[in-house]
Amino acid sequence: MARTLGPVRRAFAPWDDPDAKPLIQFDGVTKRFGDFTAVDNVTLNIYEREFFALLGPSGCGKTTLMRMLAGFDVPTEGRILLDGVDVSGMPPHRRPVNMMFQSYALFPHMSVADNIAFGLKQDNLPRGEISARVEEMLALVKLEPFARRKPDQLSGGQRQRVALARSVAKRPKVLLLDEPLGALDKKLREETQFELMDLQEKLGMTFLIVTHDQEEAMTVADRIAVMNQGTFEQIAPPATIYEEPISRYVAGFIGDINMLEGGVQRVGTDMHFASDLLADNVVVESVPDLSPGPAALAIRPEKLRISLDEPPAGPATGRVSGTVWDIAYMGDVSIFHVRLADEPGNCEDMDHSVPILRATVANTTRLVERPIAWDDKVWLSWDASAGVVLSR
């Protein structure tokens, strides 16, 4: 049967519906460990069937936030509501929440089937129901042939799927995933990300994942909360986080970014971004909080064009010249590091105060010799709409 998830996922945006009731609510939650504030007065709504990601560097508070939802830590201030019920003081085993840890924590002396059945036996479910549920979970994660094997007889990806099956076997309202794919190699991690998405869709559950891997969050999540020092910098769908970051921190944390420091000035009815590095001022989109003053222009590397010839000037096009300082051939793309200086030099003479911009160019042909090489004088250009002006 053909998949029909596309229209459903495109229309899934309960956070934009003022009448939608959140499944999970963090209401002014703060967590302190002595003098250290791990989570600082955060408020967040997560909705039923949402795949939500907490993203940030180590120590930003994302795991502490998840542990408070699971019941392993208690908020210093604020409330945590699950389906309208305040669970802040409720012990972990009474919450309709399950957690999958990075280590998987499988019982080495038990078979795959027994690992999956463990939580169900603890809940004293009837034997027939346990067997049916285990068979259902094995089929869901495609491990039926491995039911009698022990964890040490499985690959890393298979162990990850056993841990996942055990976590969802009890059918919790919310599944918490703490860096669940960190132990997998890159290729397997990418494959498993899509498996996670499909599984979440089939189960109709709410998933909350904690990760420091931006690509993982961008792949699996409906929305991402970018955390920094215990607070949220931005909460939005992945495309919005990437294309419309609201601060230098978010722009720099998600993907590669070029930052040109300068300022915004009003010219008639237009807003212009000006910088000593630019050949011309660039007309920028006027957003509600954009006002004249110091700012940065953030441009993703793939939105830059690189050429040996000077591009035509115009208010709708940004231009800057420089020298090719380095080239990385990645197979599908080539990455050009362009130093915004007039003359080529060597590493010993390099002035580290001179900006270097990254331009990513798709390798659409099988040419071995590229037309642009080291030390070439080049121009970088971009459409005005490609850049985002950031005032903080």
Side-chain angles (χ1 to χ4, degrees):
M1 184 174 67
R3 294 181 64 183
T4 58
L5 296 181
V8 175
R9 299 312 297 175
R10 281 195 293 271
F12 183 77
W15 49 87
D16 290 332
D17 181 0
D19 296 324
K21 180 182 177 183
L23 177 65
I24 302 167
Q25 294 173 276
F26 292 90
D27 182 16
V29 172
T30 295
K31 179 61 180 178
R32 300 188 188 92
F33 296 96
D35 295 332
F36 175 69
T37 301
V39 175
D40 189 6
N41 190 29
V42 303
T43 295
L44 170 67
N45 292 332
I46 300 174
Y47 296 85
E48 189 174 5
R49 301 180 68 94
E50 185 173 5
F51 204 138
F52 194 92
L54 294 173
L55 175 66
S58 298
C60 71
K62 58 186 186 297
T63 298
T64 300
L65 205 60
M66 174 178 279
R67 286 178 59 84
M68 286 191 287
L69 178 58
F72 302 135
D73 289 327
V74 178
T76 307
E77 298 172 9
R79 301 183 305 158
I80 300 175
L81 286 81
L82 183 55
D83 207 9
V85 177
D86 189 348
V87 298
S88 303
M90 187 181 294
H93 66 275
R94 291 188 55 200
R95 303 186 185 199
V97 170
N98 216 341
M99 190 166 184
M100 178 179 162
F101 297 94
Q102 182 177 2
S103 64
Y104 306 152
L106 299 177
F107 298 109
H109 63 287
M110 292 185 183
S111 67
V112 167
D114 288 339
N115 264 282
I116 296 173
F118 180 80
L120 304 176
K121 292 177 180 179
Q122 293 296 106
D123 288 346
N124 296 314
L125 265 65
R127 182 176 298 179
E129 185 175 345
I130 292 175
S131 297
R133 192 82 63 85
V134 169
E135 289 181 10
E136 178 189 356
M137 291 299 105
L138 287 169
L140 193 65
V141 297
K142 300 180 178 64
L143 287 177
E144 299 102 314
F146 304 93
R148 308 318 309 169
R149 290 194 186 184
K150 301 291 179 61
D152 63 357
Q153 298 174 307
L154 304 175
S155 68
Q158 289 167 340
R159 288 195 294 271
Q160 187 268 347
R161 282 188 275 165
V162 175
L164 187 59
R166 185 179 62 182
S167 298
V168 300
K170 295 178 67 173
R171 295 177 179 167
K173 288 185 178 179
V174 181
L175 180 62
L176 308 180
L177 302 157
D178 185 13
E179 303 276 5
L181 310 182
L184 305 181
D185 62 66
K186 179 177 173 59
K187 185 174 182 179
L188 183 56
R189 186 164 64 246
E190 291 173 351
E191 293 173 356
T192 309
Q193 288 167 5
F194 287 98
E195 289 181 1
L196 267 181
M197 295 164 62
D198 289 342
L199 185 62
Q200 188 257 353
E201 196 66 49
K202 290 176 184 175
L203 293 170
M205 289 170 51
T206 302
F207 279 21
L208 174 60
I209 186 171
V210 160
T211 182
H212 66 273
D213 186 329
Q214 53 179 290
E215 291 185 7
E216 184 170 286
M218 295 282 288
T219 299
V220 302
D222 296 305
R223 281 192 304 161
I224 299 171
V226 181
M227 293 196 71
N228 180 26
Q229 297 182 345
T231 62
F232 296 132
E233 286 277 337
Q234 187 172 0
I235 302 171
T240 302
I241 293 280
Y242 187 83
E243 300 289 357
E244 302 174 25
I246 63 172
S247 68
R248 290 173 172 85
Y249 178 84
V250 175
F253 192 80
I254 301 291
D256 294 324
I257 197 74
N258 296 300
M259 292 279 191
L260 289 171
E261 294 293 337
V264 174
Q265 57 192 33
R266 184 178 296 279
V267 180
T269 58
D270 294 328
M271 300 293 280
H272 285 225
F273 179 83
S275 171
D276 294 338
L277 300 171
L278 295 178
D280 324 280
N281 291 353
V282 183
V283 174
V284 295
E285 182 180 353
S286 182
V287 295
D289 60 346
L290 183 61
S291 57
L297 183 65
I299 314 165
R300 299 290 180 188
E302 70 275 9
K303 301 187 188 303
L304 294 177
R305 297 181 291 268
I306 185 169
S307 63
L308 297 170
D309 300 322
E310 180 177 352
T317 303
R319 304 184 305 157
V320 65
S321 62
T323 302
V324 176
W325 188 258
D326 223 337
I327 303 173
Y329 176 74
M330 308 298 291
D332 55 341
V333 298
S334 292
I335 302 172
F336 295 86
H337 289 202
V338 178
R339 186 182 180 210
L340 305 189
D342 291 333
E343 299 297 334
N346 56 49
C347 292
E348 290 76 13
D349 298 333
M350 183 176 177
D351 180 358
H352 291 280
S353 66
V354 177
I356 292 180
L357 301 188
R358 290 164 56 99
T360 302
V361 179
N363 293 324
T364 56
T365 67
R366 296 183 62 217
L367 289 175
V368 176
E369 293 296 330
R370 302 293 160 186
I372 297 175
W374 285 265
D375 293 340
D376 281 349
K377 286 291 299 295
V378 295
W379 282 85
L380 298 175
S381 61
W382 61 93
D383 297 332
S385 60
V388 179
V389 175
L390 304 172
S391 57
R392 68 179 181 91

